[in-house]
Amino acid sequence: MIAGNAHWSNKLIIRFNDLGGGMGQKMMYDALKEKLRNILKLQQAMELQPIMEGYSSDLKFKVKIPGRGDFLLRTFDLSQEPLKRNEYQCMAGMQELGVHCPFPVSMGRLDEENGYMLLSYIEGEDASKVLPQMNQQSQWAIGVQAGAELRKIHQFKLEDQAESWYIRKSKKHMRYAEKYRQCSVKMEHDQHVLAFIEENLDWMKHRPDGFQHDDFHPGNLVIKDDKLAGVIDFNRFDQGDPVHEFLKLGLFASETSIPYSIGQIQGYFGGNEPDEQFWRLYSLYTAMALVSSVVWIQQVKPEETSDMMDKIERVREDHDDFRRFVPRWYNLKNQ
């Protein structure tokens, strides 16, 4: 137990053991600590441990509260408050569906510029780090569990959008395609990829338009005792075709674990194989993701362009420039 008297501001400490950024960042966190005294549920907190993983602009902490366990605290700019409130409500709805994910505890404002969200903390390890250390059968089993969770997530009901999924997604792709043509770095054989997309946009017509986690991959899954403990990071949630959720398999998950990736698909479909329509849509959304990823990485993380282009070229080759719908890695001998 951390020594300290009963006064809250003396009890709470922030650990910087793994925190980079130097003294300036420590001062920022110390200033934040003073604001956290206004959160009633944190008045018995003993320790804040900054969490640095991920691309989110939120500040994240693991919070220890004596007698109550660990919690996840996220702070955000108040300009995002309406979106964060929707996220909070969605996570409450996930509990009703039996989804294994953080439980929303409280939400409010820290000051005139920052808000916060307090969630239960899911103990365990990052699946993207643990899966490669597991045997193939265990990797596949985690994938099956993840697919079943994703199926439950997709049952959450949202209001209909003014425009259809087909219209929204087509417009978004066209914007990315225009930006892609202006990029200095492009993928090989891109004319085949772009033509495949433009010729098959109609496949998106009349598709379901429901809740999407929109960042569902092993990096947002937690494993404990060789089982899936939960799904985290709903902050990018969106709305659209459920099949769109699977494109992260090609870019990220299959690079981490092919057995997991196969298992996620099979778990989602209750142990059955998906039909041809699934694979057509999967290949279309994956091709779109290659175009948008080229743009995104050069705009947001240009220092990681080389790594992203390696992923993109691997996916493109997996689909033979999208002459095949089912990627090479989906080989049932690999499960």
Side-chain angles (χ1 to χ4, degrees), residues 264-280:
Q264 182 185 312
I265 292 174
Q266 294 178 333
Y268 187 87
F269 290 101
N272 299 315
E273 288 299 311
D275 58 18
E276 183 178 344
Q277 184 185 38
F278 170 87
W279 287 118
R280 284 177 179 269

Side-chain angles (χ1 to χ4, degrees), residues 29 37 68 75 104 112 123-124 131 136 151 165 194 202-203 226 232 266 271 291 295 299 305 320 323:
Y29 279 105
R37 71 169 65 211
R68 296 188 59 193
T75 69
E112 296 176 352
E123 294 288 350
L131 282 169
Q136 289 198 346
R151 187 83 180 192
W165 163 249
L194 292 167
D202 285 355
W203 290 350
D226 294 333
I232 61 173
Q266 294 178 333
V291 175
V295 175
Q299 288 184 341
T305 296
D320 285 340
R323 286 184 286 268

Side-chain angles (χ1 to χ4, degrees), residues 250-262:
L251 274 169
F252 302 106
S254 61
E255 192 173 45
T256 301
S257 168
I258 288 176
Y260 162 87
S261 301
I262 294 172

Side-chain angles (χ1 to χ4, degrees), residues 25 40 57 66 150 165 240 264 285:
Q25 193 161 31
L40 179 63
S57 60
L150 184 58
W165 163 249
Q264 182 185 312
Y285 296 143

Side-chain angles (χ1 to χ4, degrees), residues 123-136:
E123 294 288 350
E125 298 179 85
D126 181 335
S128 66
K129 298 177 181 178
V130 176
L131 282 169
Q133 303 171 15
M134 305 174 75
N135 62 51
Q136 289 198 346

Side-chain angles (χ1 to χ4, degrees), residues 57-77:
S57 60
D58 295 357
L59 294 179
K60 296 180 289 186
F61 303 86
K62 181 179 181 180
V63 183
K64 292 184 178 295
I65 303 179
R68 296 188 59 193
D70 295 341
F71 294 82
L72 176 67
L73 174 68
R74 304 183 73 123
T75 69
F76 54 86
D77 189 280

Side-chain angles (χ1 to χ4, degrees), residues 91-118:
M91 294 186 71
M94 293 297 154
Q95 306 303 314
E96 298 178 7
L97 293 171
V99 176
H100 292 85
C101 67
F103 180 85
V105 178
S106 67
M107 180 178 173
R109 295 186 175 187
L110 287 176
D111 54 28
E112 296 176 352
E113 298 179 350
N114 300 286
Y116 76 90
M117 188 185 300
L118 187 65

Side-chain angles (χ1 to χ4, degrees), residues 161-177:
Q161 295 270 358
E163 293 184 323
S164 69
W165 163 249
Y166 164 71
I167 293 175
R168 299 195 319 271
K169 184 62 177 175
S170 296
K171 287 181 177 178
K172 187 174 183 178
H173 169 69
M174 294 306 180
R175 290 194 296 270
Y176 270 116

